[in-house]
Every structure is written in structure tokens, then in C-alpha cells.
């Protein structure tokens, strides 16, 4: 491979390392007016090149960290002294990751990680450990019909690796929809192509899932606000997201789903249908919950 673009590639990978997840865009359309890096369109081969670059970047980083960690361990522990557990655990996790990378595999493909090992590795922001969404850019006609000869092979490649979610989209249509002056005009544009929603809306949902986030709402007389929360967290933790002081003083929450609100048409009908509930601070917040926090003691 040519190394002429290596500085640019490294800058891109360093930027990726600072992110929480990756969106990998895969070209899957032929168009003579849009330049491609090769004469033949080979989407799966492109994915393999991207993966190899990510693995090589992390392997270089991890190899250096293992070398530094071993040296620090040797300097910090005189002969016969006990090895600090955290220092040893971090080095072992890095060595394990190095073994995975030396096999040419992404760190996240391996499921053999303990919670502590994952916590150690997260400190190093490995790009191969980050969740990913694969955006497959197809032509307008292929997107509206759902037919593209490369898509089955891409799905197979991703499924074999449990690599992440795949989302076909058309950048041309997305640009046209995004340029609409109003929401109604945008919807009319999408309907002309037989589409119910823009792919960017689906992408947002997939990214939430990849991050392991849910969203919840708070409502007041002045505003309705959307908040993000890690999946599996409780109402007390959600209260802490809104205002740290809320977490300690929370007694209960009143909760209903925004999806139920949409289905029922009004809050009164949500209440009448029995879908409005009072829960304690340990209630696990669900995606799309509307939450009213109550402070003080339960009686």
C-alpha cells in the first residue's frame, strides 16, 4: 500500500479514537461523475481495508503501551515486593488485547472480556473496541427499490463478525430532504420517493443503540426537554442527570411513555388507559419515558 496519505490517515484515526462510536460509510453505487479510489467497486474489500487500518493503528498503540507498562512495572516493583493489582491488571488486559489484534481482529469482536478488563481498556480509547454503525451509500433508484447486488455480501460480512448495525441510505436523497425549507416540505420530498422518513432519523436511533443509551423527557410549563441516559440506569440516576441534588432527595417518579402518548393522543387518555404509573427511585428508566420527579418522603 502507498504511504503517501499516512499523515492524513493518522489524523483521521486519532480523531476516531476521541469518539465514543464509529460510523463507517461504505460506497455501494456506480457513478462516473463521483471519483472512486479504484476502478472496480468492491464494497466488502473496502470494509476489509478499513478494518485492517483500524487494527494496525491499535496494534501499534497497544504494543507501545505494553512495553511502557512492563517497564513501569519493573521499575515500580523491587525484587520480592508485591505487584500492585491495578498495574498488573491493566498490563494483562493490554497484553490480551495485543493478542487479539495480532490475529488481525477488532478488539470488540472478542466477547471474552471481563467488566474489569473492559474498564482498563476503555482508558486507552482503542478504535477497534468502539461500537460501529455501517452506512451503505447506494444510488437513489437502489435505495427506493431496496435492490443492490452488493448489499447481501455486506450484511453477511457484518453478521459474521457481529460488527454492528447496517443502514442503507442515499446521500443524494438525504441532501435533497435536508435542503427543504420546512418540515412539511421535507416530508413531501420523502413521500415523492416513497419514503416515510429520512435515513438520518434511523441513524440517530441506531447510534443511540450502539452507545447503549436511552432517552427520556421532562415536561414543565416552560419547556419539554430530552435527556440521554445509559440503558439500565434508574430514576434516581436520571434525576441526577437533570440536577445532581435531585438524586439524593428523590422519593418517587410519575412516568408514562411518549409512544403511549402518541398512540392515545392525550395525557388524559394515557391516564385512563392505565399507562400512567408511580414508581420508586429504583425504577429502571425505559427508552421514551416521560418522567416527573417527586421529592420528599413516601407515605
Amino acid at each position: 500500500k502507498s504511504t503517501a496519505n499516512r499523515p492524513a490517515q493518522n489524523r483521521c484515526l486519532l480523531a476516531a479514537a476521541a469518539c465514543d462510536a464509529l460510523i463507517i460509510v461504505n460506497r455501494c453505487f456506480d457513478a462516473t461523475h463521483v471519483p472512486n479510489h479504484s476502478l472496480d467497486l468492491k464494497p466488502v474489500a473496502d470494509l476489509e481495508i478499513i478494518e485492517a487500518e483500524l487494527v494496525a493503528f491499535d496494534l501499534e498503540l497497544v504494543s507501545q503501551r505494553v512495553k511502557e507498562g512492563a517497564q513501569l512495572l519493573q521499575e515500580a516493583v523491587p525484587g520480592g515486593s508485591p505487584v500492585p493489582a491495578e498495574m498488573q491488571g491493566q498490563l494483562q488486559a493490554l497484553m490480551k488485547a495485543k493478542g487479539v489484534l495480532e490475529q488481525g481482529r477488532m478488539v470488540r469482536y472478542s466477547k471474552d472480556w471481563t467488566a474489569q478488563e473492559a474498564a482498563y481498556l476503555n482508558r486507552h480509547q482503542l478504535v477497534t473496541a468502539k461500537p460501529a454503525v455501517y452506512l451503505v451509500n447506494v444510488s437513489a433508484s437502489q435505495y427506493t427499490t431496496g435492490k443492490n447486488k452488493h448489499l447481501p455480501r455486506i450484511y453477511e460480512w457484518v453478521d459474521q463478525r457481529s460488527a454492528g448495525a447496517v443502514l442503507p441510505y442515499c446521500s443524494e436523497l438525504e441532501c435533497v430532504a435536508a435542503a427543504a425549507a420546512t418540515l412539511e416540505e421535507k416530508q413531501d420530498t420523502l413521500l415523492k420517493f416513497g419514503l416515510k422518513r429520512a435515513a438520518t432519523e434511523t441513524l440517530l436511533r441506531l447510534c443511540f443503540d450502539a452507545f447503549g443509551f436511552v432517552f427520556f423527557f421532562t415536561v414543565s410549563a416552560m419547556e419539554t426537554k430530552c435527556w440521554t441516559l445509559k440503558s439500565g440506569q434508574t430514576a434516581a440516576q436520571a434525576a441526577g442527570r437533570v440536577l445532581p441534588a435531585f438524586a439524593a432527595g428523590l422519593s418517587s417518579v410519575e412516568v408514562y411513555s411518549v409512544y403511549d402518548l402518541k398512540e392515545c393522543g392525550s395525557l388524559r387518555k394515557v391516564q385512563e388507559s392505565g399507562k400512567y404509573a408511580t414508581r420508586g427511585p429504583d425504577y429502571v428508566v425505559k427508552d421514551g419515558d416521560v418522567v416527573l420527579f417527586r421529592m420528599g418522603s413516601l407515605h
Side-chain angles (χ1 to χ4, degrees):
K1 297 178 186 178
S2 170
T3 59
N5 293 325
R6 178 59 61 187
Q9 290 169 352
N10 284 342
R11 285 196 297 273
C12 178
L13 291 168
L14 285 169
C19 298
D20 293 311
L22 305 178
I23 297 175
I24 298 174
V25 181
N26 188 212
R27 175 172 174 160
C28 208
F29 66 91
D30 288 304
T32 55
H33 67 286
V34 181
N36 192 29
H37 68 91
S38 66
L39 294 176
D40 298 323
L41 190 63
K42 298 178 180 178
V44 171
D46 289 343
L47 290 175
E48 289 174 343
I49 290 171
I50 292 170
E51 184 172 292
E53 290 286 347
L54 296 176
V55 167
F57 180 79
D58 270 358
L59 181 56
E60 183 178 351
L61 173 68
V62 169
S63 297
Q64 182 62 31
R65 298 280 167 85
V66 166
K67 182 179 177 180
E68 293 170 354
Q71 185 175 347
L72 283 172
L73 194 62
Q74 188 176 19
E75 294 172 353
V77 183
S81 299
V83 178
E86 175 152 337
M87 187 179 290
Q88 185 178 35
Q90 180 134 209
L91 181 57
Q92 288 175 344
L94 285 168
M95 290 175 67
K96 186 174 176 180
K98 184 172 180 282
V100 172
L101 294 164
E102 286 175 337
Q103 296 171 21
R105 299 170 60 218
M106 304 272 274
V107 167
R108 62 188 166 87
Y109 291 171
S110 175
K111 307 304 179 186
D112 186 29
W113 300 108
T114 66
Q116 187 59 68
E117 287 172 337
Y120 285 140
L121 293 179
N122 283 342
R123 299 176 185 179
H124 300 277
Q125 296 186 310
L126 303 181
V127 290
T128 60
K130 298 180 187 297
V133 175
Y134 292 82
L135 274 182
V136 182
N137 193 5
V138 299
S139 69
S141 61
Q142 291 168 344
Y143 185 58
T144 54
T145 61
K147 295 179 180 180
N148 180 288
K149 64 181 181 180
H150 299 289
L151 271 176
R153 290 195 289 272
I154 293 171
Y155 277 112
E156 181 183 8
W157 186 91
V158 173
D159 287 345
Q160 285 174 347
R161 293 159 174 77
S162 299
V166 177
L167 177 64
Y169 84 113
C170 174
S171 58
E172 184 180 1
L173 293 185
E174 293 298 315
C175 287
V176 172
T182 65
L183 185 61
E184 290 76 13
E185 185 180 325
K186 177 181 179 180
Q187 196 61 40
D188 288 343
T189 300
L190 292 170
L191 288 173
K192 287 178 184 177
F193 293 102
L195 305 173
K196 292 182 179 180
R197 65 179 63 86
T200 47
E201 296 176 29
T202 306
L203 175 61
L204 180 62
R205 178 71 271 168
L206 290 175
C207 287
F208 261 70
D209 293 341
F211 283 129
F213 283 142
V214 298
F215 63 87
F216 69 96
F217 297 92
T218 54
V219 179
S220 70
M222 298 296 294
E223 65 175 359
T224 297
K225 192 166 182 178
C226 181
W227 306 81
T228 58
L229 191 70
K230 289 294 288 184
S231 179
Q233 290 191 321
T234 65
Q237 290 169 308
R241 284 280 292 120
V242 176
L243 189 67
F246 280 5
L250 184 69
S251 65
S252 65
V253 291
E254 294 176 21
V255 61
Y256 59 95
S257 171
V258 71
Y259 304 115
D260 289 336
L261 179 62
K262 184 177 180 180
E263 181 182 341
C264 294
S266 71
L267 179 57
R268 181 178 61 81
K269 290 183 178 179
V270 170
Q271 293 169 325
E272 290 173 352
S273 67
K275 295 178 179 178
Y276 189 103
T278 300
R279 297 286 185 261
D282 59 349
Y283 167 76
V284 175
V285 176
K286 296 179 179 60
D287 188 60
D289 275 352
V290 182
V291 184
L292 175 64
F293 299 101
R294 295 295 187 188
M295 314 304 290
S297 300
L298 279 171
H299 297 287

